[in-house]
Amino acid sequence: MYQDPLAADKEMEGAQEDAKGGDAEGTSCLEGAGSPAVPEPKDNRQDGFASLVWEAVPGMLFQEDRQTSLHPLSLSWVLGYNSSLAVHSLMDGEDRVLLYVSSHTVVIHDVLGNRQYQLQGHLNTISCLCVSEERRWVASADRGPDALIIVWDSFSGIPVRTIFGSHPEDGVSAIAISQDAKHLATISAGAVQRVCVWKWTLPTEKPVCSTELRADFGYQDYVIFNPQNPYEFVSNSKTQVIFYLWGSDGLQYGAPLLSRQTFKTTVGHFSQSAFHFNNTEALTGTSAGKLVVWDDSDPHACPQELRDKPHSMKATKVVSLQKESITVLMVLESFIVTGDVKGQIKFYNGRLQLLTCYSHSKVGSIRSISFCKPRPGPAGASSAGSTAGSQPFTRNFILSNTDATVFHVATDGINFEKVMEEAKKAVNAITCHPRHARLALGSHCGLLKVWDYEQREYLVSRIFPEASIQCLSYDPEGYFLAAGFTDGSVYILDAISLQSSCKEFKFSQGPVTHVSFSHDSEYFATADETYTVTVYKRVLQNGSRCWEHFAGLCSHYKPIRSILFGVQLDSNEPRLLSLGEDRHLIEYDLSVSSKDHLEVLHRDRIEQIAVPLCLAWYPQLSNESFILTANSCYKMKLYNTATKLCRKTLLGPTYGSPLEKIQILPTTNTADPQKRYLAYITKDKVGLQILPVDGNQHKSSAFICHPDGVSDLATSYDGRYIFTVGGNDCALMKWEINLNALDAAVSLGGEDMIPFYNLLDGGREGKFFRELEDYFYYAQLHSQGIDTLETRQVSTHIPLEEIPSVMRAMGFYPSEEEIEEMLNEVKFSNYVDTGEQMTKINLEDFIKLYVNHRPAFGLSMNKIQRAFRVLGYDNENGDNVIDRGDLLWLLQNRGERMTEDELALCLTTLLGKCPRGEGSEPDTSGEAALTEEEIPAEITAEIFAGDILGLPIAEPENRTGKREMNL
């Protein structure tokens, strides 16, 4: 009879302490009865969680309304799932409650009730999942840095146990839970795989026992416990089956050999293994349609000896069941069940005689089978006595296939009911309807669907055979839907029926990556992987609206990151811009362009070093109109829409990777027009940013959405939801927005200058701020003359000309272009409002300027070393160096060139050869002697940074040899 693994057994508490469950060398006895005691709660919150777990009942998750989330973004729905992992049935009877994995989230989905509950806690994509026999305890594990094992209570949705650092190398490849739900077996995902056994109810981060496997065993990706013996389990790769036994002597294993020569027959690759219900044999299915039967090599050994010798298992026979590859193998009660690539589910008795078969032509290759919980019946009733001619049992089951489709099968008939059908390949395209609660999503399998995100139901779908959808966009009225494909084709579809409204366009030579409509739908444009922008113009054909090819231009020489339509400032005519990784922002003149000739109006290089990644029209929050960009150095920049001059550089969100895409959140009629927000995605996160952008890090928030990468985002027409898709994880996530929570976070971060003081090393009271203050006021003295005898003018400002000197004094060395941008930013900060140019700056504004313009993460020694690897060579000692003459030549002839006098001034100053005193000239007469004396003939990155520039060099971190220098 099943026993709750969390049920405390007071008599066993002392035994658990003596057993030292957390020590691999001190495991408890195999014959122990009872369950481990529950760890006492460490705080009231854990105590409250424990109460919820004890009181939880099946179906409780969907009986209570969820409380409003306290986070700015909360996950409310997930479409799509990882079809390489199993789908489990959680409820009994006719219920359709499914458990599956979507990206880094475990989803409990009540299909009939159209409800979901998401179990969130993993930082990486979940790699494996298992469920206890009673369907209450769910264990999930992931693969990647900081990998976790989490045990969930499926009744309450509470994570009851989290194991950190289980397999720190690469995470977990396979996991299983024992029949009594007290133990877990895990296999690591590293090159050298490690097998561990855990007593998950014990408060320890160490396994009970573990062992390493040889690399020649192959990649073990499947594991399962013996239902009749929790101390025995089996795993397999495609080429090797391994049997394990754990106990007081640690973890033992045996790896029996089996080849084609063993039984003179083709065996095939192994798929899954299971223990026979006779408790002596084990079975393994193969890709050749065979079933390998394993048994102990000594048929006369007693059961106790069997349990002590996992290495004595060997293949006793290979049974040919069918021609089709067996993909699923399981033992249920007194039946052996298989699933294959043709969609057949077959039931056998213990002697491998076929009892019944379920099949359907549209099922395809089966990935998993999960039986509903047994219905309660009369005492003593059992299905074990069924004969070969009778129906084996009455438990319905859920099956999933490799095409991301889930079926419900009733055993009293042949009805295969399709429960769920999702994209089986990458989902990269998503767009929201501009007026209704609908979104369109397309995948690389050619599946295009329109989903009502309020009612949470699909409205219409269309499949494009042998085509892959890469991008989507509704027109501004929502009547048409444009779809771009990887073969370069573009379709214009009716937004309701998804039928083609125009003939197919195929003017792109590569995959179409972007598609966008003008505000009046007069034009739509595409960008493709051949760096070409193609424009289509609206025409009337037979009295109906359509578009035709207008012109195209290969305008960039690196990938295009964004195309954007806007409206002319002095008219209602559309304007078109494109942004590329070649750092060019290009505006096209649509009014002058003609058939097959796309005219460029402006071509502006907007970045010097960073790569621009995304583009948006900035809301009209002032009298000046801006274009907003975000770059690879975590900076957001505002450019004047007319002149394209950089007006502001601001520190953007710094959540592990730069912003990849941005969208201005639509406003509602009741919203304050001056309160605007920005939605964005990074490499793996989705976030919100309060506008206007000013560098305050408390004004943004981000959450992990797709650990393996976010491919696109969309916002609902009313600004209530953000949607993200993750590409290869085949998942779409719906995020509910709570702007009040984001506004509250800003208030908690402090007012006025407090958030900016906190960005300085040591804050307002730190040494860095005091130095900055001293340099600032020294700059005042310098501007008035150090040796002047006139009465000094006490002020809180310094002239703009002193800004570069103070910046360099604080360890930030901007280029000449960056200096010009900083000076222009301050000089014209109030020009649109007052018509006057600023000539000075106060300390508070200088601090904002400093924290927004300096490198987001300081100057890294790695960057200097990388530059030396590119420009230098390896000397005879193996050091990467630059010749002294080459360095001086590069400084005078490459990049922002320095004159000979400027170079001499810098070197004499840096090397302490400049005499003190106002008006004194640097001693450059002995420049050659100086360089010979002070600068070595071969310069390493460390000499350049430490001895010449005088920068601090951090010591190597731990054992990795990484050296970081942050200023």
Side-chain angles (χ1 to χ4, degrees), residues 530-724:
T530 63
Y531 321 141
T532 300
V533 173
T534 307
V535 179
Y536 301 82
K537 190 173 183 179
R538 186 170 61 183
V539 294
L540 286 177
Q541 290 183 353
N542 301 324
S544 62
R545 184 169 57 176
C546 195
W547 286 264
E548 68 176 8
H549 177 260
F550 183 56
L553 180 66
C554 183
S555 50
H556 294 269
Y557 62 87
K558 285 189 177 182
I560 298 173
R561 298 293 304 198
S562 295
I563 57 172
L564 188 66
F565 274 102
V567 183
Q568 298 288 353
L569 296 177
D570 54 354
S571 68
N572 196 41
E573 293 300 313
R575 59 192 299 193
L576 174 63
L577 299 92
S578 65
L579 179 69
E581 291 183 9
D582 54 9
R583 301 180 177 89
H584 281 106
L585 175 63
I586 300 176
E587 181 169 3
Y588 306 88
D589 195 333
L590 298 177
S591 61
V592 176
S593 300
S594 58
K595 180 68 174 178
D596 296 327
H597 176 72
L598 186 58
E599 186 73 20
V600 172
L601 180 62
H602 297 291
R603 182 188 297 268
D604 298 281
R605 193 175 194 274
I606 62 171
E607 293 283 359
Q608 186 178 29
I609 298 175
V611 177
L613 300 177
C614 46
L615 179 71
W617 295 108
Y618 197 66
Q620 196 74 34
L621 302 178
S622 65
N623 294 328
E624 191 173 2
S625 299
F626 297 112
I627 299 169
L628 175 66
T629 68
N631 66 29
S632 58
C633 293
Y634 297 86
K635 302 296 183 182
M636 304 177 78
K637 292 189 174 184
L638 295 177
Y639 295 88
N640 184 281
T641 56
T643 64
K644 307 297 192 311
L645 291 177
C646 181
R647 293 287 290 103
K648 278 191 177 181
T649 299
L650 303 149
L651 180 63
T654 53
Y655 295 107
S657 59
L659 305 192
E660 297 281 343
K661 293 186 179 182
I662 55 177
Q663 284 190 14
I664 304 299
L665 206 63
T667 58
T668 59
N669 295 330
T670 58
D672 182 355
Q674 292 299 310
K675 292 191 69 173
R676 300 301 301 271
Y677 300 84
L678 175 79
Y680 63 84
I681 55 173
T682 67
K683 180 181 178 181
D684 59 350
K685 298 177 181 68
V686 59
L688 283 173
Q689 168 79 44
I690 298 177
L691 301 180
V693 181
D694 58 7
N696 182 352
Q697 296 295 282
H698 297 285
K699 293 175 72 172
S700 67
S701 179
F703 300 84
I704 295 175
C705 56
H706 302 273
D708 289 340
V710 195
S711 57
D712 203 359
L713 89 159
T715 56
S716 63
Y717 74 98
D718 56 4
R720 294 176 55 200
Y721 304 104
I722 298 176
F723 303 91
T724 60

Side-chain angles (χ1 to χ4, degrees), residues 861 864-866 868 880-881 939-946 953:
M861 189 62 196
I864 299 177
Q865 291 170 337
R866 191 180 308 120
F868 269 67
N880 192 263
V881 299
I939 306 168
T940 65
E942 289 73 20
I943 291 175
F944 182 73
I953 301 177

Side-chain angles (χ1 to χ4, degrees), residues 813 859-861 863-869 871 880-884 886-891 898 903 906-907 910-911 934-953 963 965 967:
Y813 299 92
L859 179 62
S860 170
M861 189 62 196
K863 293 183 179 179
I864 299 177
Q865 291 170 337
R866 191 180 308 120
F868 269 67
R869 284 195 295 270
L871 300 173
N880 192 263
V881 299
I882 296 179
D883 180 79
R884 178 177 57 208
D886 291 343
L887 177 61
L888 297 177
W889 184 89
L890 288 168
L891 291 173
M898 302 178 70
L903 180 57
C906 286
L907 289 176
L910 287 170
L911 299 173
E934 300 291 340
I935 302 178
E938 292 183 335
I939 306 168
T940 65
E942 289 73 20
I943 291 175
F944 182 73
D947 297 343
I948 298 177
L949 298 182
L951 303 179
I953 301 177
R963 307 178 79 177
M965 175 184 63
L967 304 177

